[in-house]
Amino acid sequence: MRLRCAVLDDFQNIATTVADWSAVQDRVEVVSFTEHFATEDELAVALSDFDIAVTVRERIPFRAGLLDRLPRLKLLVASGMRNSVIDYTAAERNGVTVCGTTSSSTPPVELAWALLLGLARGIVTENNALRTGGPWQSTVGADLHGRRLGLLGLGKIGSRVAQVGLAFGMEVTAWSEHLTKERADEAGVHLAPSKEELLRGSDFVSVHLVLGERTRGLLGAPELALLKPTAYVINTSRSAIVDQDALLAALHEGRIAGAGVDVFDIEPLPGDHPMRTAPRLLATPHLGYVSHSNYRTYYGQAVEDIEAYLAGNPVRRLG
C-alpha cells in the first residue's frame, strides 16, 4: 500500500512540478494543500490519514498536542535546517522522524533590498498613482549614497546585505551582541559601539538576526524612539524581534519615515489585521525565501529525504 504525503501551504501549487517526485511516486501518494490550516484542530483532521508531511519554514507549529493526535505520521520534512516550532521531544516520543533541507540566503538578501529600495523611492505609491490617473510625481526619493545603513546582525544574510549597501556608496555599520571588530572589519563595515548608537545614527535599519531569548523584542518602543524621523526600518528576519505594536504606533504617529516588513506575528495575516492598512508600511507576505531556486531545493531535497527514509537511512535529520 502506498504511503500518503501531505505538502502543506503550497500556496503557488508548485511543489509537485518544481521538483521531480518520480523516485518515490510508486510508493508515495503526494497530496498538495494550497490553503493554510489556521487551527490545530483543522490540521489534525487534515493530516489524520497521512504518513508523511512536508512543511514550509516555521509557519505551522508541530507542538506536542498536534503530534500526539497524529499516530499515523512517521516522517516530517521541514524546509531549512533550523525550525523553532517543532517539538522534537514529542516527535521522538511519537516515532516521528524529522528531516530538513538546505536553504539559500540569496533570496532574503534580494527581498530586503527590494523593500528598502521600494520605500526609499516611493515605488508603490508612484506606480499606483501612474496606473490610476493620480498625480504625476508626489514623492521625493530618499538617497542611499552617503547615507548610513545600520545592520542588526552580520551573519550570512547581513554580510551580503552589507555588500550591496557598500556598492551603493552607503556607510554601513553593524551591531549584534557578540559581533567583534575583526568580523566587522572583514566585512568592510563599521562596528557600532552599541545597539542604541546604531539606531540613533542610521538612516536605514535592517534586521538580520536569529530569533532567540536575547533577540525577542530587541526593537521595542524605547528603541524605535531613538530613530530619526527620516529613518526606515526593514525586517525580513523574524517578526518577534521587532515589537509589532510598537512599530505600528511609530508608523501611525509618523515618528519614522516608513518600514518594510516581510514577517508577521500571525501568518497568513487575517484580513482585518492592522498591518494590512498601516501607513508608511511596505509589506510582503513572507516572500523572503520564496524563489524558484529555493523551491527547487526545498522540494527536491524533500523527495531525497523521503527516499532516504524509505530506505531506512534518514538524511539531514533535525532535533
Side-chain angles (χ1 to χ4, degrees):
M1 186 176 68
R2 294 168 78 197
L3 300 179
R4 303 194 75 216
C5 171
V7 179
L8 301 171
D9 284 352
D10 184 16
F11 297 135
Q12 295 90 355
N13 197 22
I14 198 174
T16 57
T17 58
V18 76
D20 182 4
W21 292 75
S22 61
V24 298
Q25 65 182 7
D26 61 330
R27 292 166 289 172
V28 178
E29 175 193 1
V30 180
V31 179
S32 177
F33 291 95
T34 58
E35 299 295 327
H36 180 70
F37 296 107
T39 68
E40 183 179 293
D41 287 343
E42 291 175 349
L43 195 59
V45 171
L47 294 181
S48 61
D49 60 350
F50 284 91
D51 309 276
I52 303 167
V54 178
T55 183
V56 180
R57 304 305 295 139
E58 297 173 310
R59 181 169 293 117
I60 298 178
F62 277 82
R63 306 297 191 198
L66 175 60
L67 291 165
D68 290 344
R69 298 169 67 179
L70 300 174
R72 183 167 166 175
L73 185 68
K74 294 305 173 188
L75 175 63
L76 177 60
V77 178
S79 60
M81 291 302 293
R82 180 190 295 118
N83 195 301
S84 64
V85 299
I86 295 174
D87 188 325
Y88 296 105
T89 301
E92 184 177 7
R93 185 179 69 246
N94 283 279
V96 178
T97 300
V98 184
C99 298
T101 73
T102 58
S103 183
S104 171
S105 61
T106 298
V109 170
E110 294 172 352
L111 184 75
W113 276 104
L115 289 171
L116 193 155
L117 289 166
L119 282 168
R121 298 308 296 267
I123 299 296
V124 174
T125 299
E126 297 291 1
N127 176 258
N128 288 341
L130 185 146
R131 295 173 65 88
T132 59
W136 184 263
Q137 297 185 3
S138 64
T139 65
V140 177
D143 297 287
L144 302 189
H145 189 276
R147 299 299 177 91
R148 181 176 295 181
L149 171 63
L151 300 176
L152 291 170
L154 196 64
K156 283 195 302 182
I157 295 176
S159 60
R160 295 184 68 179
V161 171
Q163 292 172 9
V164 179
L166 293 169
F168 273 117
M170 302 183 79
E171 178 188 343
V172 183
T173 65
W175 177 90
S176 66
E177 189 173 355
H178 299 297
L179 181 61
T180 65
K181 185 177 185 304
E182 290 72 22
R183 175 71 187 95
D185 289 344
E186 185 180 296
V189 308
H190 301 288
L191 174 64
S194 67
K195 174 183 66 176
E196 290 75 17
E197 285 303 306
L198 180 140
L199 296 173
R200 288 190 187 98
S202 295
D203 299 292
F204 299 87
V205 173
S206 194
V207 180
H208 303 288
L209 293 164
V210 175
L211 178 62
E213 289 310 308
R214 291 193 300 269
T215 59
R216 186 178 299 275
L218 188 73
L219 294 188
E223 288 78 19
L224 292 173
L226 299 175
L227 293 169
K228 304 173 184 178
T230 54
Y232 296 87
V233 175
I234 312 295
N235 186 12
T236 56
S237 183
R238 290 292 181 268
S239 63
I241 296 174
V242 181
D243 185 295
Q244 192 167 264
D245 291 336
L247 179 61
L248 282 168
L251 292 169
H252 278 284
E253 295 166 15
R255 289 188 278 109
I256 59 175
V261 174
D262 186 50
V263 287
F264 308 91
D265 290 350
I266 304 172
E267 295 186 11
L269 275 180
D272 60 350
H273 196 282
M275 292 293 279
R276 287 185 179 268
T277 56
R280 304 177 182 85
L281 177 67
L282 178 56
T284 47
H286 205 155
L287 298 178
Y289 60 86
V290 180
S291 75
H292 279 285
S293 62
N294 246 3
Y295 271 23
R296 282 193 295 269
T297 298
Y298 288 170
Y299 294 116
Q301 291 189 5
V303 175
E304 294 175 4
D305 289 349
I306 294 169
E307 189 175 19
Y309 172 81
L310 295 177
N313 187 30
V315 296
R316 291 186 286 266
R317 297 190 67 164
L318 303 181

